[in-house]
Amino acid sequence: MRVALVGARGHGARHVENLLRLGHDGIATFVGVVDVADVDVPVPAYPDLPSLAAELHPEVVVISSPPGTHRELALAAFELGCDVLVEKPAALTTAEFDEIRDAAAERGRVCQVGFQTQGRGSYRRLCSLIGSGALGDIAGIGAAGRWVRTDSYYDRAEWAGRQGEDGTFVNPFAHALQNALLLADVEERSDIAVELELFRCRDTITADDTACVRVTSEGAPPVVVAATLCAATSLPPVVLVHGSLGQAVWWYDEDRLTVNDHRMAVPPSVDLLENLIRHRQTGEPLVAPLAAARAFTTVVEQCGKADVPLLPARRTGDRVVLDGVDEVVVRAAEKIATFDELGCGFGR
């Protein structure tokens, strides 16, 4: 399978490594990259996708460019007859989401979204436990994220820290939100209710860096995700499934799952690009299809339109710390409660 990559820097460098691995294993042929800057890759580089396609004829295009370019590039790839693996967020609005979905259907193409944690073996095991009733009735899904991000995090790209293209749930903790929505089985719904609390602790950005969202939908357990980039101490993000027969705790970045404090065995992970290639060859179901990002995109769009007030925070060297937030995001996930309901002092 002939594969091209758009965006070889930043996260795109991981795709370069993966494509070289897949080439070594005889699964894919890495034909070229598109990037506006000079990049050190062992394949030809082009300034745009049409010029690459005219010479190299890819069958799959991996899109790892800035979020604001995803719609245009995905549509161009479909027009060229290619299937797409696009990094999250695939779209910044539901209108863009619908346009990409409809274009793929019209062209008979498929679109996979770069939610790689959906390929984790721990995710599949957790879905199995929920589906079998092993956790009982699910009362709620919570997720918490605590990261430290320095000034350099916002200097890495022009779009970093820009509302509408970046933000707590749009980029750094997108997986936490998407995973929680999937486990609540509301990922494809358009009838969700969204409550947002968005804040920023830096006056140099317009996007939020500390946030809480509650998503509800009829007949589904409520979802609360709380996260910050202004923690005192970084910890791996975690998803909590609150069931009447027990609690599952899932560290998706570490592919680790416990149920009632018991470590669960998990199957091997699935690579999204390999899965997309097998889908083309054998019809294997996509692990992270575009359709499963509908509710996520609804939240992303609302994040791009919401007020993002500036909070007083403490600067420590090249980072900013919001005192007390480390504990609050965890409590929100545990209690399925908003910042305001917890009385943390920086809610509405």
Side-chain angles (χ1 to χ4, degrees):
M1 196 69 64
R2 298 172 64 80
V3 183
L5 170 65
V6 182
R9 294 166 292 151
H11 186 71
R14 298 184 184 181
H15 286 293
V16 171
E17 293 178 2
N18 192 43
L19 281 162
L20 294 174
R21 176 186 67 85
L22 294 177
H24 180 268
D25 294 342
I27 297 172
T29 300
F30 185 15
V31 297
V33 302
V34 174
D35 208 301
V36 296
D38 292 333
V39 289
D40 183 16
V41 291
V43 293
Y46 293 79
D48 56 68
L49 184 57
S51 59
L52 180 149
E55 294 188 12
L56 302 179
H57 311 292
E59 298 164 276
V60 175
V61 174
V62 178
I63 300 172
S64 187
S65 53
T69 66
H70 289 179
R71 169 196 164 274
E72 179 183 355
L73 287 165
L75 296 179
F78 297 148
E79 184 73 20
L80 292 166
C82 301
D83 291 325
V84 168
L85 169 59
V86 59
E87 274 303 328
K88 45 75 180 168
L92 297 175
T93 67
T94 53
E96 288 186 359
F97 178 94
D98 291 343
E99 190 175 8
I100 295 170
R101 178 201 61 198
D102 293 347
E106 181 181 344
R107 295 284 176 178
R109 306 265 56 96
V110 296
C111 183
Q112 177 116 284
V113 184
F115 287 113
Q116 69 268 17
T117 59
Q118 289 177 227
R120 299 278 196 265
S122 50
Y123 169 68
R124 298 200 304 280
R125 182 68 191 278
L126 180 52
C127 288
S128 176
L129 289 168
I130 294 173
S132 69
L135 298 177
D137 296 328
I138 306 302
I141 311 290
R146 292 168 39 177
W147 280 348
V148 172
R149 288 295 180 260
T150 62
D151 296 340
S152 62
Y153 177 80
Y154 294 101
D155 295 335
R156 75 192 192 282
E158 289 186 4
W159 56 270
R162 181 187 299 165
Q163 188 180 22
E165 290 188 81
D166 199 6
T168 312
F169 301 132
V170 179
N171 185 27
F173 289 105
H175 293 289
L177 173 60
Q178 174 68 357
N179 289 331
L181 295 171
L182 285 162
L183 294 171
D185 197 24
V186 299
E187 69 277 8
E188 296 190 22
R189 294 196 186 183
S190 57
D191 62 344
I192 61 171
V194 179
E195 302 169 66
L196 280 174
E197 296 173 317
L198 306 180
F199 305 97
R200 58 191 173 97
C201 297
R202 296 170 178 265
D203 58 10
T204 54
I205 64 175
T206 55
D208 56 280
D209 55 26
T210 299
C212 182
V213 62
R214 178 158 54 199
V215 177
T216 53
S217 187
E218 185 177 356
V223 167
V224 169
V225 185
T228 184
L229 301 177
C230 304
T233 305
S234 284
L235 284 178
V238 64
V239 176
L240 308 177
V241 180
H242 303 281
S244 60
L245 299 180
Q247 183 185 70
V249 183
W250 178 35
W251 294 267
Y252 56 82
D253 276 350
E254 300 180 337
D255 200 17
R256 181 160 57 98
L257 173 68
T258 65
V259 175
N260 296 333
D261 297 322
H262 176 69
R263 179 85 177 253
M264 307 298 290
V266 300
S269 294
V270 175
D271 177 76
L272 295 186
L273 183 53
E274 288 187 67
N275 169 245
L276 175 56
I277 291 170
R278 287 196 296 270
H279 174 80
R280 285 179 55 107
Q281 295 172 335
T282 69
E284 175 181 308
L286 291 176
V287 168
L290 177 68
R294 174 74 195 202
F296 172 81
T297 306
T298 299
V299 177
V300 165
E301 181 173 18
Q302 294 196 26
C303 288
K305 298 176 179 179
D307 291 332
V308 187
L310 180 66
L311 294 178
R314 173 169 54 88
R315 174 161 282 278
T316 303
D318 61 351
R319 65 191 181 103
V320 171
V321 176
L322 180 60
D323 290 326
V325 74
D326 294 48
E327 294 76 20
V328 168
V329 296
V330 174
R331 286 173 55 209
E334 291 176 340
K335 302 296 184 182
I336 314 297
T338 64
F339 289 159
D340 187 44
E341 290 169 343
L342 293 172
C344 64
F346 51 82
R348 280 179 282 196

